[in-house]
Amino acid sequence: FRKFNGCAGRTPQAKEWKTTQGRWPVKSAKVILNLLKNAEGNAEFKNLDTDNLRIQHIQVNPAQQGRRRTYRAHGRIGPYMSCPCHVEMILQEKEEAVEKPDEESKPKKFTK
């Protein structure tokens, strides 16, 4: 809450993070959950084990803003912008640990 802290109410539940302002991003969480369900469906289509999947990389970048206009007093027009984003998520199957086999010691060859 350093940049987008306007109109965020105060709540005692935010004391856990040593702040007074807090909010619950329900809409953003729904989008991420839908993205995870979509990724799970894609993994099933590619015959991957969905129980073994883990998030390897996730990144959110700003997208191009949508421009609309709102009408103001005295015949003026103001911007009415939306702030969309691109969400990039890479899932990978968790690799099982394989023990390294014991190597037999071979005599070292020293060459000149």
Side-chain angles (χ1 to χ4, degrees), residues 30-67:
K30 280 184 184 178
V31 170
I32 297 296
L33 284 175
N34 287 338
L35 194 64
L36 281 170
K37 287 179 185 175
N38 190 4
E40 184 180 4
N42 291 343
E44 286 179 3
F45 182 75
K46 292 183 177 184
N47 296 326
L48 298 176
D49 184 17
T50 57
D51 296 332
N52 250 354
L53 288 179
R54 67 177 186 89
I55 297 176
Q56 180 188 7
H57 172 78
I58 186 165
Q59 180 176 348
V60 181
N61 294 321
Q64 184 179 7
Q65 291 187 344
R67 296 186 68 92

Side-chain angles (χ1 to χ4, degrees), residues 1 6 12 15 18 21 30 34 36 48 55 61 73 79 84 89 91 98 109:
F1 287 118
K15 288 180 184 176
K18 297 188 177 27
Q21 290 181 318
K30 280 184 184 178
N34 287 338
L36 281 170
L48 298 176
I55 297 176
N61 294 321
M89 184 183 300
L91 301 179
V98 178
K109 295 182 180 178

Side-chain angles (χ1 to χ4, degrees), residues 1 4-24:
F1 287 118
F4 302 104
N5 62 351
C7 300
R10 293 188 284 188
T11 176
Q13 291 179 354
K15 288 180 184 176
E16 185 177 345
W17 294 278
K18 297 188 177 27
T19 184
T20 58
Q21 290 181 318
R23 54 170 74 131
W24 296 266

